[in-house]
Amino acid sequence: MSLDEHVIEVRDLSRKFGAFTAVDAVNFDVRRSEIFGYLGANGAGKSTTIRMLCGLLAPTTGHATVAGKDIARDPVGVKRSIGYMSQRFSLYLDLTVQENLQFFAGAYGIGGKKQRVAVDAALERAQLQDSRNVITKSLPGGVRQRLALASALIHKPVILFLDEPTAGVSPDSRRDFWRMIRGLAREGTTLFVTTHHLDEAEYCDRIGLMVDGKLVALGTPPELKREHVAGAMFALADTDHRALRAALAGDARVLQIQPFGRRVHLRVDAALGTPVDIQSMLTGRGVAFGEIQRIEPTLEDVFLELVGGAS
Amino acid sequence: MSGASKKRRRRGLVLIRFAAMAGKEVNHILRDPQVLLFALGMPVVLLLLFGYAVTFDIDHIPLVVVDQEQSASSRELIAAFEGGDLFEVVAVRETPEEVEPLLQRGVAKVGLIIPEGFDRELLRGDSPQAQLLLDGTDNNSAGMALGYANALSQAATKKAAERAGTPLELPLEARARTLYNPGLRSTVVLVPGLMVILLVMVAVMLTALTVAREYERGSMEQLFATPIGRLEVILGKLAPYFILGMVDVLLVVTVGVLLFDVPIAGELAVLTGVSALFMLAMLMQGLFISVATRNQMVASQLAVISTLLPSLLLSGFIFPVESMPSPLQVVASIFPARYFVHAVRVVMLKGGGFESIGVDCLAIGLFFLAMLAVSIKRFRRFVA
Ligand SMILES: Nc1ncnc2c1ncn2[C@@H]1O[C@H](COP(=O)(O)OP(=O)(O)O)[C@@H](O)[C@H]1O
Ligand SMILES: [Mg+2]
């Protein structure tokens, strides 16, 4: 079994609801112990894809195998090998922490002594050993999320599907959560995570970007930036983006001018590689500017490039 | 792994998943006092309410007596009326004309008039005629008095006869009552019927919400992402409510026996058996509603309609099924309530065993299987 082995293979996978195509002929592979980020705005088709891969929704056309099992022909086999945290529901709020874990262990056919061991391990993973008899409803959102993750892992799945796991969770808890996810990947679990937080995508090994049911970009974050955000990027302090736009109008070397917080991002031809190049380009054009810094493009820039170009 | 051990392992997994489902449902029930209150409190409270409301009307009906014959047989007839708790002689008068004012003033509700010549007719072998005057404004008392007079007329002595102003055809059911309910207490007939209705409503309502709730909360999707099967979900959900339902049966029967002196002429085991079967059928009907609607609000409304109407109107509890128009009889035959009402009466009042309620058990069992089958069919593993 090599590390390059594909544990998820998706070929021309489509799903229609009536005449509407929610997922449109999507192709990608996910390697063992990789964190695969599935990005897209609301309604892009992320949950529909994840449901098909979890054996919860039959594809209209196309194929996919998950952990070596065909999702259409052997959905129960798929379910045995994967963990899933759905977008809406994670836990039964009227049950205690321990009762939730016991139930999901039982649902995966883990009983008796094995169940006690699995529940204890999950309590430890979620750092909830002292709260096993607490009603889940009374836990704060971040802790609940940790418990939901531990419960999705109770049967030691080889692949874990997380559908917007950090929606509605505080930034601190989000960081903790991603630390747990990276830890899982190091232990050998493959993670398929959907999100619409672009900053979270930076934690992923590889990313697929969904727009209106289509997979429009696929690759590692550096690959995507290189491929879709051409040229060199600089951040300019103390300048007005409208004045800058006016001053540089007609210059073919300028690719993009974008206000970004209190600074302006300027993307130019790759031939202009240093702040000094920019300084000389702007001098004498009657526009005020402060410090100039070379910056790396973010996934936000990739997203803007891909989605902005389409609209 | 050999085939046999593989099979054993599979059965083990099924049991674990079923137990997980049932255990979770028990936890939900224990956490929600409203469910317990509804399941255990409501039937008892309603039974008390209805049971007593009915009792008050039929005890100690005030009776005025006119005995113009003054013979042994006329005195026997009066003694028969006085015998039970049903009538209480409040006045004795000389002439029939004196009776009506008493009825009008409400001093008495029923007048019994035995004319001169009663003995003579009896000896001749004719039907002797005694007159019964009824206060028609009090339906219950009038009905009970008629029923009682009817019972007496059927007695071997043939010493009494009935005439209630207008000739009145007694419905079949009333006749059956008088036969098997010698005290003529309507609670004895009503309470078993009432038990059926209460059990139906509680049973269907209990399970009607449970699957719909999981769809609404979104937990059904999480559930379907596990290898748990449809049958395991459905039977796992059924089991705890079945136990709760049987506690209900026990409670309601106990209240019926202790407070309303409802006899259990038959064996308790037979009564428990047929109740268990009926409880399963009703819980399954609730589950089907839940699976089909996926919505708690719609499910609860459908549960009420689909239980109250058949159990109240089509079960034979109030209107005898035999006297319904035949299309309605066909509809009534689909719902298990009718079979259960019949079975409960046979067991509790007539002392019948399983052999006398075989058809009822079969019909209820078939309904259960049909509901199970359609529930599983509707209950797809895929979420959309
Ligand atoms: N069961 C369904 N029936 C009809 N339309 C659906 C269904 N599920 C999803 N959709 C539609 O498919 C599109 C993609 O939905 P979804 O996969 O949930 O998006 P995302 O998870 O990316 O927000 C949306 O327009 C949604 O309305
Ligand atoms: Mg979604």
Side-chain angles (χ1 to χ4, degrees), chain A residues 129-147:
Chain A
Q129 295 100 317
D130 301 328
S131 321
R132 60 170 74 214
N133 293 319
V134 172
I135 300 285
T136 307
K137 188 186 277 176
S138 62
L139 297 174
V143 180
R144 255 188 236 171
Q145 216 64 348
R146 236 161 50 209
L147 176 62

Side-chain angles (χ1 to χ4, degrees), chain A residues 51 55-58 76 79-80 84-86 88-89 92 94-96 99 103-104 106-111 135, chain B residues 13 16-17 20-21 24 27-28 31 214 216-219 221-228 381-384:
Chain A
R51 283 188 182 129
L56 291 167
L57 192 65
V76 179
K79 287 171 190 183
R80 266 193 271 274
Y84 172 53
M85 238 173 92
S86 81
R88 260 179 79 200
F89 170 85
Y92 292 99
D94 56 332
L95 303 190
T96 65
E99 285 162 356
F103 170 67
F104 283 106
Y108 282 100
I110 306 168
I135 300 285
Chain B
L13 288 180
I16 290 170
R17 292 191 296 244
M21 199 65 214
K24 171 182 95 76
N27 288 331
H28 285 316
R31 290 282 141 67
E214 302 233 17
E216 282 183 13
R217 284 184 189 164
S219 51
E221 182 170 339
Q222 195 74 52
L223 212 54
F224 279 156
T226 74
I228 205 162
R381 288 178 142 279
F382 293 123
V383 285

Side-chain angles (χ1 to χ4, degrees), chain A residues 17 20 22-23 40-49 51 87 163-164, chain B residues 384:
Chain A
F17 295 110
F20 173 73
V23 174
N42 271 333
K46 305 184 295 293
S47 297
T48 306
T49 309
R51 283 188 182 129
Q87 178 180 356
D163 197 356
E164 306 217 8

Side-chain angles (χ1 to χ4, degrees), chain B residues 53 66 183 268:
Chain B
V66 178
L268 204 59

